[in-house]
Structure formats: C-alpha cells, structure tokens
Amino acid sequence: VFYHCVLSNLIQVCDDEATRPGYRQFGCGVLIQEERPWGRKGEIVAVYALSLDALVRATPANQFIREQRPPLYDIVKQRLPPSPFDYTLEVLKDAITKYEGPYGHVAQLDKVRYDRCECIDEYGKCKGHRQCIIPSVVIVRTIYSAAEAQRRATEDGLIHTAWTKVWDTIDTQLETRLGKFMQAQEMYRRQADQGKYIKSLKAIIQEKSRSVKTALEFCQAAENRMHSFEVGGAYAFHRFRSVDEATLFVREAQDNVELARKELKKSEKDLAHVKGFVKVSKKLQLQKIALDLRQKYCALEYEMISDDQRRKAYENGWRRPWDGPDGEHFRNWMHRNQSALNAHNHESTLPRWVTKLSVRPVSENEDEDDDAKFQFNWVGTENMNIFANQRYQKFEEDYLKTVVERTQGTDAAREARSARSLLSSPDSSIRK
C-alpha cells in the first residue's frame, strides 16, 4: 500500500504535467508517453517515460524552462499523506523496482529516446543530441488494484460464456429445417444484391475511367503550356508568370491523374472481390453467412454485458481501466449518458444500433419448437464493420481451433476459416 501510494501520486503528477495546456515545466524533452507490453498476458498499455534527472534533481533556468524547476519527486511528496516513514529517494527506488500489480511490475528504470534534447552543458547551452537517449523511469499510466483485476476477469468470463451460448444456440437452430431454409434464403438474397452491386460498380468504373482520361488530357495540356513557357512562347498561350507558378500547376494536374487512377483501381478491386464472392462454392457462402450471424449476435451480447457492467461501476464509483485506453471508453460512456444515468433509464444507455438489432424475446405463449420459430436474422450484416471486435476475432479463432475441430473435425474448422478469410470484404459498403 505504501509503495502503491507513492507510485499513484507520481502518475497523477505526470498526468497533470502531460495534459497541461500551454507552457509545461516538464516538457517533451523529459516527459513523454509510450507503450509497453506490461498489461495482462503481455497486453500493450500506455506508459510515461520520465527523465531520471528531472525526477530527482532540480534544473536551473535555461532556454527550455523559464525559471528553476524543482525535482518532480518534490512535487509528488507535497501530495503524499503524512507517514511515519520518510519519503526518501531510496523509498522511491524501492517502489519503482519492487512493487508489482496484479499483472506484474508497473515501473522500471530504462534508457529512453526523446525526440527533443534538453541536455544542457556547463555553459547553459543545449547539447543538441540528434537522438537523446537518457536514463529514465518508465511507469504505467494506470495501476490496477486486485479488485479491478478480479472484476475484469469476472466480466471476461461473462462475455466468454455468452458468446459460447450464442454459437451453440445458432448452430443448433441452423441445423433445423427452418434454419437451413433461412440460411439458404439469405444466400440467395445476397447473391441478388451482389448482382445489382456488380452492375452499379461497372457503371462507376466507366465513369471513373472517363475521369482518368479527362485528367490525362488536362495534364498533357498543362505540360504543353509549361513547355511553351520554358521555350519563351507567347503569354496568351501558356499564361504563366513564373517558373514556380508553372511547376505548381503541372504538379497539381499530375496529382489529379494519380488520384483518379487510385479511385479507378479501388473500384476495380471491389468489383473483382464481389465477382469472387459469386464464384465461390455454395458451401463456403453458407459458412460465411453462418459466421456473420454468430458475429452479429455476439456483438450484441458484448454491448449489453458491457453496458450492464458499466452501470454497476457507475453506481459503485468504480474505475474500469480496461474499458478503452486507461478507461477512456467508460469515461466517454458516462459523459454521453449522464442524463440517462441520472434518470435510471436502462434502455437509453445502450447504443441505438444495439436496441434496434437486438433479438426479440420469445413469449411464453409462442411455440418454441425450432422448426416453428427461428429466433435470429441477418438484418444489419450488410455492414459487418459495426460488429467488429478484436476480442471476438480472437474468440472465433480459438473456438474454431478447439471446439469445432473437436466436435466436427479439422476439415470443418478449416472451411470456416477459409470462409472468413476468402470472403472478407475490403469495403464496408459491399454486402458480405
């Protein structure tokens, strides 16, 4: 607890300095932000790197600081609570080198490269190192408590259980007669959409081809005008007053050609991708359709669980440092939903797309026979980007590798991975 208090206050002072608008006592020549693999299971986390000299030694006024700068540790000690032990440099060193959080060490001494050199010689002038590499203290921006690590593990368990249930439920329903029919219908609908999209892409490509031709003609005319200027032709023909004006005009024309070609190439690539979808086997298309359905409902589950856990954290005054970089997503969520939280309106804190696409629950009076009620749909899967989630990608890979291989065989898992990799769209506007 003693070391944790010292390091927490050190981080707070670094936060204050790094986010201070305008002039900073501890500028980017002694205090910077970096990333290190110090999180759970080697997760990349944000850290501060602070020059050791700036931490423990006073710096006289120079070209970088207006007046003598105290050691940053002196500022930290002013914030620390009274203690029977002195906050010596030895205590600081022990805190840096010995304290460990739930995921391992949180700070260390290291040599760090700073983009700006603030090293001063005996004459008070900057040494001007091209690469200023100096001894520093590197410390994470957020230290997890044991309780926070436990809450994170509990939430991860809830998400994993929910995702596994989604996969099992969807797999079961897709094996029913109605499920197979609905999956086939979705495939035919996508094929029809692809046909319409191919026609529209061909029209777009023709239009962009004409744009490239027009840009080339304009560029050629610009180059001819510049040539006329260079050989001393009449001003009425080239209309340039200086070399710089002529050069800039030609360069802009050439840039327009490159831009038009890039846009044409992108549309041609999209067309090739869509045609590739039509040509792949029916089995792969059905696999991709099933994967999209699982990802959609796993994304919905993730959002609902996260919303529920955020509400609990808000009500109890807890932090959520894993929710975005150092808890940024959680703070944004609180700011965005402040009025709803005050009104205790659970529905309104969910993203609008989640409320719109959530599964309608089956009432007790409805027939729950699988062949009579298919509980899922593919609404919204024309743009799978809204369901993108890095954690889910890892879950899907692990699930295919372990569960699917164990229950359905290696070939089934390989086909599912092929469907995901071969049919992933390069453009969110293309129906998958």
Side-chain angles (χ1 to χ4, degrees):
V1 177
F2 184 66
Y3 289 158
H4 181 274
C5 180
V6 173
L7 295 178
S8 295
N9 279 275
L10 173 59
I11 293 169
Q12 186 59 56
V13 173
C14 289
D15 280 337
D16 293 345
E17 284 295 327
T19 58
R20 189 187 305 279
Y23 172 73
R24 288 169 47 186
Q25 270 191 313
F26 298 86
C28 59
V30 296
L31 175 63
I32 59 174
Q33 297 184 42
E34 290 190 333
E35 292 181 337
R36 296 290 172 93
W38 292 358
R40 187 185 61 166
K41 300 179 181 178
E43 179 184 42
I44 299 295
V45 295
V47 300
Y48 283 119
L50 173 65
S51 162
L52 197 56
D53 274 350
L55 176 63
V56 301
R57 293 190 180 95
T59 306
N62 56 53
Q63 66 187 85
F64 300 108
I65 54 176
R66 299 169 184 172
E67 54 188 19
Q68 179 168 308
R69 181 177 65 198
L72 188 136
Y73 189 47
D74 283 359
I75 302 175
V76 174
K77 287 190 289 185
Q78 294 173 6
R79 301 188 178 201
L80 291 169
S83 169
F85 304 101
D86 292 334
Y87 294 110
T88 63
L89 292 180
E90 192 64 29
V91 166
L92 176 62
K93 179 183 176 182
D94 288 345
I96 293 169
T97 58
K98 295 181 179 180
Y99 180 80
E100 290 192 355
Y103 306 133
H105 70 276
V106 299
Q108 73 175 27
L109 300 174
D110 197 2
K111 288 187 176 181
V112 176
R113 184 177 68 85
Y114 295 81
D115 292 334
R116 189 175 80 176
C117 176
E118 291 190 12
C119 299
I120 303 298
D121 61 20
E122 62 270 23
Y123 303 107
K125 295 183 179 181
C126 178
K127 294 182 179 179
H129 296 132
R130 296 186 65 182
Q131 284 194 340
C132 194
I133 302 175
I134 53 179
S136 303
V137 172
V138 182
I139 184 169
V140 295
R141 289 183 55 184
T142 302
I143 299 177
Y144 279 72
S145 67
E148 288 168 345
Q150 181 58 48
R151 287 198 296 272
R152 182 181 187 181
T154 300
E155 184 174 328
D156 287 349
L158 291 172
I159 292 170
H160 188 276
T161 300
W163 283 352
T164 302
K165 185 178 179 180
V166 167
W167 272 63
D168 292 344
T169 305
I170 289 178
D171 286 350
T172 300
Q173 293 213 5
L174 287 178
E175 287 300 315
T176 65
R177 185 175 57 202
L178 180 59
K180 292 178 180 178
F181 173 77
M182 297 293 289
Q183 191 176 11
Q185 287 295 104
E186 174 65 13
M187 182 183 67
Y188 298 142
R189 183 181 66 81
R190 292 189 181 199
Q191 289 175 346
D193 284 354
Q194 296 292 349
K196 296 176 183 177
Y197 191 64
I198 286 174
K199 289 183 179 179
S200 65
L201 271 180
K202 287 181 177 178
I204 291 172
I205 288 173
Q206 289 180 353
E207 180 64 30
K208 290 184 177 180
S209 297
R210 288 193 290 269
S211 297
V212 170
K213 182 179 179 181
T214 301
L216 283 170
E217 291 173 350
F218 185 82
C219 184
Q220 184 61 51
E223 291 174 350
N224 291 340
R225 286 173 58 188
M226 184 173 183
H227 177 71
S228 175
F229 173 78
E230 290 173 340
V231 299
Y235 173 79
F237 179 79
H238 58 72
R239 303 188 68 81
F240 292 133
R241 298 183 181 278
S242 66
V243 175
D244 290 342
E245 182 184 358
T247 303
L248 179 62
F249 188 82
V250 171
R251 187 181 298 120
E252 288 178 351
Q254 292 171 343
D255 290 343
N256 288 336
V257 171
E258 288 302 313
L259 180 61
R261 283 174 171 167
K262 285 181 180 179
E263 291 180 350
L264 175 61
K265 187 175 181 180
K266 180 179 180 300
S267 295
E268 290 174 342
K269 185 177 179 181
D270 289 347
L271 178 61
H273 176 82
V274 180
K275 286 183 175 180
F277 180 89
V278 176
K279 292 179 181 178
V280 298
S281 68
K282 175 182 176 181
K283 190 173 184 179
L284 271 182
Q285 292 186 47
L286 291 174
Q287 285 274 15
K288 178 62 167 59
I289 289 168
L291 286 173
D292 285 352
L293 189 65
R294 298 184 189 109
Q295 183 174 347
K296 171 187 172 179
Y297 284 96
C298 283
L300 293 173
E301 286 290 335
Y302 176 84
E303 291 293 337
M304 288 187 281
I305 291 172
S306 295
D307 186 79
D308 183 59
Q309 295 301 309
R310 285 170 174 172
R311 276 188 163 272
K312 288 182 179 178
Y314 173 79
E315 291 167 0
N316 290 279
W318 294 335
R319 299 189 310 170
R320 288 173 56 84
W322 62 90
D323 195 349
D326 296 311
E328 180 181 353
H329 294 170
F330 178 51
R331 292 191 294 274
N332 292 341
W333 176 86
M334 287 192 294
H335 178 73
R336 187 171 60 249
N337 297 293
Q338 192 62 54
S339 59
L341 291 169
N342 293 337
H344 302 287
N345 184 349
H346 181 74
E347 290 284 338
S348 61
T349 60
L350 284 167
R352 186 173 299 176
W353 66 269
V354 175
T355 305
K356 182 179 179 181
L357 298 177
S358 293
V359 182
R360 180 181 63 84
V362 179
S363 69
E364 295 180 359
N365 297 327
E366 287 182 324
D367 187 353
E368 295 182 358
D369 183 7
D370 285 342
D371 283 343
K373 176 63 73 174
F374 188 73
Q375 300 176 7
F376 305 96
N377 61 68
W378 282 269
V379 175
T381 56
E382 64 274 6
N383 179 10
M384 291 299 294
N385 284 348
I386 63 175
F387 307 120
N389 186 306
Q390 289 184 348
R391 291 178 59 181
Y392 177 76
Q393 291 177 2
K394 181 68 166 58
F395 169 85
E396 183 183 90
E397 292 171 3
D398 293 342
Y399 196 93
L400 291 174
K401 185 176 181 180
T402 56
V403 179
V404 176
E405 283 188 6
R406 186 177 66 248
T407 58
Q408 301 179 32
T410 305
D411 291 342
R414 186 184 301 114
E415 287 173 359
R417 284 192 290 267
S418 297
R420 172 64 74 203
S421 61
L422 290 176
L423 304 179
S424 294
S425 169
D427 190 322
S428 62
S429 64
I430 298 177
R431 178 173 293 278
K432 302 182 182 181

